[in-house]
Amino acid sequence: MYQILQAKELTSNIYLMEVEAARIAKACQPGQFVIVRAGSDGERIPLTICDYDRQKGTITIVFQVVGASTYYMKDLKAGDAFCDVAGPLGCPSDLTRESMEGLRKKKILFVAGGVGTAPVYPQVKWLHERGIQADVIIGAKTKELLILEKEMEAVAGNLYVTTDDGSYGRSGMVTKTIEDLVRKEGKAYDVCIAIGPMIMMKFVCRLTKELGIPTVVSLNPIMVDGTGMCGACRVTVGDQVKFACVDGPEFDGHLVNFDEAMQRQTLYKTEEGRAYLAAQEGDTHHGGCGVCEG
Amino acid sequence: MGDILKKVPVREQEAKERAANFEEVCLGYNREEAMEEAARCIGCKNAQCVKGCPVAIDIPAFIGKVKQGDIEAAYQVISQSSALPAVCGRVCPQETQCEGKCIRGIKGEPISIGKLERFVADWAREEGIKPQGALEKKGKKVAVIGSGPAGLTCAGDLAKMGYDVTIFEALHEPGGVLVYGIPEFRLPKEAVVKKEIENVKSLGVTIETNVIVGKSVTIDELLNEEGFSAVFIGSGAGLPKFMGIRGENANGVFSANEYLTRSNLMKAFSADAPTPIMKSKKVAVVGGGNVAMDAARTALRLGAEVHIVYRRSEAELPARVEEVHHAKEEGIIFDLLTNPVEILTDEKGWVKGMTCVRMELGEPDASGRRRPVVVEGSEFTLELDTVIMALGTSPNPLISSTTKGLETNKWQCIVADEADGRTSKEGVYAGGDAVTGAATVILAMGAGKAGARGIDEYLSGCARF
């Protein structure tokens, strides 16, 4: 069993939990994910690692309640436990494999959308710990749905917050902020890392391609085992089929076939099966259900 | 007494009835049937059946005990050689192994060795009889990666020799292909697989789940930091293969691994399981092996019309004859000499059909089987909502890419000595699908046994170099 040391609601429907998982805390790198099962007959749900403490032997996960399994998970408290936490899975972020000199010369922009702020955080923190300041855009639908703003502020170079409805920070989608920064505010970036709903990543990539900024995205498709066995997470990148769980989750955003990826996410979203959909996706839900406007 | 030239028939669930449930197909022998069948064995001195068994069970000895009605003694004979007799009695291809060599088979039907093994193992389980463990501990730790047939066998053998064994399993449930791959109706999970795993644990083996070796911990860390003196890699086959045809990423195309994992490991066949599985109306399973049969028979039980699409003829089907026979009885349609060329989708990206071509057999290819050749102008369309690809797997790179000095071949399989499982890295042994590519449960068990022998020689300081 994997004990929960801390559990809190970050905002409406988004929860953060610090969980004991010694092996994962020792081995994980920014960009990797875990698969959790809350109950003994529960689904396997992929969640990105938001933070880790190697001394304490804990990892932090963040999830949004969208279905049966995450609905069950939200009621877990400190002292409760997950049945299973497996990982770290996937490849570490590209950044962690670059030379420090190379990284120092780069101007890096992170774009985080919604609950995607959680997987962006450990990457920005990792850079900050190495003396590299990256710019970060956090986008949320509205002020109440914004998460990890303070934590991000502490590790980011410049932090730009934008809300779709203009209720906080800048107004509009993340793409508007990127465009404003580059076209109006004289910013230039060598690389962009975008993590959020699939539809957001698609439009960010469309824009950064136009702006000539190489862009990395982190995909979170439907998965079962997460170790390369089932092939459910296959995604077309360029002219190749890749498995997000072992080849990713990060890919060159300008080569990802987002339309196919979004279509594959609707697999269990039949009209009569919205409950199934919710159950299936956990916090990997990236829109397409007709309910969340994603 | 029946015809001495024929096997005592085994009771089965009737085809029509079983096509709609997930209960076990074969019901097995009872004590009287088993003793009657055992009486057919002539107890050859130079027993050919033993030579046909990858784990070399002393078959005439255990059958002799069954003949006498001493089932417990029969069980102890088997468990000296096999950690998973209830599994093997169900899923081994006996017709090409032990039974294929049986002298009785020359003039009639061979002894039903598999069904006898199953009876003995089931009886022992019901009576609560456990295999005998080690008398003396060696005080050395061995790590086994993967809790499938290779890993469980290797761990069981090493524990019996007195080693302190820990198995690392990537999934949340131990058993490997026995739990995620082979369906309930061929191999009951709670009643059979779990109990055999408990038997292995009762020998003193520890199983740590949710550990992905290569990610959670590396082999070098196990050897250098966690105090293991040797490692056996039995991590299994890996990534599912696809054909590379158009439409393969459409909604409704699954690998057999995914389909079976959802149904078997995640219990999606049960309506109240939280993990979903597609409710299909018409399914094509592409491939002709045991995995294809398992996927097809699972889809059938979930309520679909199911076609096996295979590019060669019936004679070349790699699946066991018994599986093909059961599949046909249950109503699976075999579209043989047929090959898919494109998966057709509707405007929302869902499968609506598959374009196929007819094939004919030409000259033998490298595998010795006659090469299928496309019949010109034979294109036709099958209307479907689901396609399951059962084309085999390619090795998972998680371990080979994170272990320095571990040699792999051009197919990315780990290179290991067949006799003792030795790899190119000292103290590291391997066997099963990770070495051979996808094969059978019993071959993996044979490799697990060889690995245990190799590790024992290595740790006793008498390994051959």
Side-chain angles (χ1 to χ4, degrees):
Chain A
M1 298 293 264
Y2 300 79
Q3 229 197 351
I4 297 168
L5 299 187
Q6 191 199 154
K8 63 179 179 190
E9 187 174 16
L10 290 179
T11 176
S12 161
N13 264 353
I14 299 181
Y15 293 78
L16 174 147
M17 288 180 188
E18 187 184 3
V19 187
E20 262 178 6
R23 282 195 187 276
I24 302 172
K26 183 172 172 233
C28 70
Q29 294 288 336
Q32 292 187 293
F33 64 94
V34 291
I35 284 199
V36 305
R37 279 192 344 133
S40 60
D41 61 352
E43 291 179 279
R44 294 172 65 89
I45 300 177
L47 296 173
T48 315
I49 299 167
C50 172
D51 204 356
Y52 48 88
D53 186 327
R54 302 212 200 280
Q55 266 74 46
K56 259 167 93 184
T58 63
I59 60 165
T60 301
I61 53 174
V62 171
F63 62 90
Q64 187 161 18
V65 174
V66 288
S69 293
T70 42
Y71 188 79
Y72 173 80
M73 273 163 57
K74 83 178 172 56
D75 290 330
L76 296 173
K77 299 274 174 291
D80 293 341
F82 281 91
C83 249
D84 299 284
V85 182
L89 297 162
C91 299
S93 165
D94 283 349
L95 292 173
T96 65
R97 286 177 287 185
E98 275 188 52
S99 75
M100 279 305 128
E101 289 136 79
L103 276 180
R104 274 194 199 98
K105 284 187 202 137
K106 274 188 180 164
K107 292 193 202 71
I108 305 169
L109 173 68
F110 285 90
V111 180
V115 79
T117 311
V120 164
Y121 174 71
Q123 301 201 26
V124 180
K125 184 182 169 191
W126 187 91
L127 289 169
H128 175 75
E129 284 167 350
R130 284 155 184 79
I132 299 162
Q133 307 306 325
D135 284 1
V136 179
I137 301 171
I138 301 181
K141 268 189 197 119
T142 183
K143 186 186 175 194
E144 282 69 44
L145 294 177
L146 198 63
I147 57 165
L148 301 171
E149 185 193 4
K150 269 199 197 109
E151 288 83 350
M152 197 70 89
E153 199 163 26
V155 293
N158 298 300
L159 176 65
Y160 309 96
V161 176
T162 180
T163 50
D164 295 1
D165 63 359
S167 55
Y168 186 76
R170 296 176 180 228
S171 178
M173 308 275 187
V174 290
T175 40
K176 180 167 182 293
T177 302
I178 299 172
E179 211 164 4
D180 288 348
L181 287 174
V182 174
R183 291 207 165 120
K184 295 184 189 159
E185 297 169 45
K187 287 285 199 172
Y189 295 103
D190 299 308
V191 63
C192 167
I193 294 110
I195 309 179
M198 205 72 94
I199 190 88
M200 178 205 93
M201 293 191 283
K202 175 183 167 173
F203 283 102
V204 167
C205 287
R206 187 178 283 181
L207 174 65
T208 56
K209 198 167 185 180
E210 200 183 301
L211 297 172
I213 308 171
T215 299
V216 174
V217 294
S218 178
L219 302 183
N220 207 344
I222 291 173
M223 287 186 189
V224 185
D225 67 293
T227 65
M229 195 184 78
C230 82
C233 64
R234 58 195 192 276
V235 43
T236 303
V237 182
D239 54 3
Q240 285 184 306
V241 176
K242 300 278 189 186
F243 290 176
C245 70
V246 288
D247 300 322
E250 287 190 354
F251 293 103
D252 180 341
H254 293 161
L255 297 179
V256 169
N257 183 337
F258 284 105
D259 292 336
E260 179 190 275
M262 281 189 278
Q263 167 217 306
R264 286 185 61 74
Q265 287 195 317
T266 66
L267 194 54
Y268 293 99
K269 295 174 192 173
T270 51
E271 286 303 315
E272 68 274 17
R274 287 230 169 104
Y276 255 179
L277 138 74
Q280 170 63 23
E281 298 228 309
D283 108 318
T284 71
H285 184 57
H286 285 335
C289 64
V291 177
C292 74
E293 296 166 38
Chain B
M1 194 87 175
D3 183 348
I4 191 84
L5 294 179
K6 287 204 168 146
K7 288 180 174 182
V8 172
V10 70
R11 288 165 289 118
E12 287 180 349
Q13 229 199 119
E14 204 262 316
K16 241 192 197 145
E17 190 181 320
R18 72 181 192 240
N21 68 46
F22 278 84
E23 306 294 312
E24 199 172 7
V25 170
C26 175
L27 303 173
Y29 286 150
N30 59 29
R31 191 185 175 92
E32 288 66 40
E33 290 162 339
M35 286 177 69
E36 188 187 337
E37 178 64 16
R40 294 179 61 229
C41 177
I42 49 180
C44 307
K45 285 270 178 304
N46 179 21
Q48 295 303 304
C49 52
V50 180
K51 293 179 189 159
C53 175
V55 298
I57 292 172
D58 188 345
I59 294 165
F62 103 74
I63 294 183
K65 296 293 178 194
V66 176
K67 209 186 285 188
Q68 294 162 15
D70 189 351
I71 314 300
E72 180 166 356
Y75 176 71
Q76 295 303 348
V77 171
I78 296 175
S79 60
Q80 276 168 24
S81 307
S82 173
L84 308 169
V87 170
C88 289
R90 288 170 166 83
V91 303
C92 268
Q94 290 101 6
E95 63 279 6
T96 59
Q97 296 179 349
C98 52
E99 294 181 22
K101 304 228 173 193
C102 177
I103 300 298
R104 270 264 181 235
I106 297 172
K107 271 198 172 166
E109 289 181 353
I111 306 295
S112 200
I113 301 168
K115 301 292 186 285
L116 287 174
E117 180 186 29
R118 169 185 161 149
F119 164 73
V120 170
D122 286 357
W123 180 90
R125 185 180 66 242
E126 280 154 23
E127 296 292 316
I129 292 162
K130 300 269 171 195
Q132 284 159 1
L135 300 171
E136 252 175 76
K137 290 276 173 199
K138 302 242 188 195
K140 279 181 183 161
K141 282 168 67 180
V142 179
V144 170
I145 304 167
S147 63
L152 286 172
T153 302
C154 187
D157 276 17
L158 288 167
K160 282 188 216 164
M161 295 173 196
Y163 292 99
D164 185 358
V165 185
T166 302
I167 300 182
F168 295 100
E169 166 56 46
L171 293 173
H172 57 266
E173 178 101 28
V177 74
L178 307 175
V179 296
Y180 75 73
I182 303 176
E184 184 73 19
F185 54 85
R186 277 219 292 141
L187 188 62
K189 308 296 162 232
E190 289 292 322
V192 176
V193 179
K194 266 203 181 151
K195 295 286 160 47
E196 300 238 298
I197 291 170
E198 275 164 25
N199 281 347
V200 173
K201 282 161 101 174
S202 77
L203 297 169
V205 173
T206 305
I207 303 181
E208 194 181 333
T209 52
N210 298 322
V211 179
I212 301 98
V213 174
K215 291 286 179 188
S216 314
V217 64
T218 63
I219 286 184
D220 286 313
E221 285 167 341
L222 290 174
L223 289 169
N224 303 330
E225 293 171 25
E226 298 201 16
F228 290 98
S229 305
V231 176
F232 177 80
I233 305 169
S235 54
L239 290 62
K241 285 185 189 160
F242 288 89
M243 294 186 75
I245 58 175
R246 266 173 66 121
E248 221 168 4
N249 285 350
N251 288 1
V253 184
F254 306 93
S255 74
N257 269 6
E258 178 184 354
Y259 196 76
L260 290 169
T261 300
R262 284 181 183 276
S263 181
N264 301 333
L265 176 72
M266 307 310 292
K267 312 286 178 218
F269 69 82
S270 144
D272 53 3
T275 300
I277 194 161
M278 193 161 143
K279 301 280 173 277
S280 308
K281 290 190 178 70
K282 195 167 167 187
V283 178
V285 177
V286 183
N290 289 319
V291 173
M293 299 305 139
D294 285 345
R297 295 170 71 195
T298 297
L300 180 95
R301 282 161 171 77
L302 290 169
E305 175 187 318
V306 185
H307 294 243
I308 290 271
V309 174
Y310 179 60
R311 64 195 183 125
R312 301 180 198 249
S313 74
E314 175 147 5
E316 287 83 14
L317 280 171
R320 289 183 67 194
V321 174
E322 180 178 325
E323 303 308 325
V324 175
H325 170 71
H326 279 152
K328 281 186 176 169
E329 272 187 348
E330 289 163 12
I332 306 277
I333 300 155
F334 282 73
D335 295 333
L336 300 169
L337 291 166
T338 302
N339 204 30
V341 289
E342 183 181 356
I343 293 163
L344 308 169
T345 54
D346 67 15
E347 65 286 354
K348 285 186 172 165
W350 288 79
V351 172
K352 66 171 186 184
M354 185 162 78
T355 305
C356 299
V357 287
R358 303 274 181 216
M359 310 293 282
E360 57 191 6
L361 294 180
E363 295 299 308
D365 63 12
S367 73
R369 298 180 298 182
R370 291 174 66 195
R371 186 195 305 273
V373 187
V374 177
V375 177
E376 287 304 323
S378 63
E379 266 190 27
F380 68 101
T381 301
L382 274 172
E383 273 180 37
L384 304 160
D385 59 5
T386 306
V387 178
I388 300 172
M389 293 293 180
L391 306 163
T393 55
S394 55
N396 194 319
L398 289 184
I399 289 175
S400 53
S401 66
T402 54
T403 310
K404 273 191 197 127
L406 187 68
E407 198 189 321
T408 53
N409 64 19
K410 64 175 170 177
W411 299 283
Q412 302 303 309
C413 292
I414 297 167
V415 176
D417 189 315
E418 215 176 296
D420 62 6
R422 245 180 336 148
T423 67
S424 58
K425 189 175 170 77
E426 195 190 335
V428 179
Y429 292 72
D433 286 2
V435 171
T436 57
T440 60
V441 168
I442 189 68
L443 285 174
M445 289 177 63
K449 261 193 126 46
R453 217 160 36 229
I455 287 172
D456 181 47
E457 281 165 10
Y458 169 68
L459 296 180
S460 314
C462 56
R464 54 189 181 90
F465 283 104

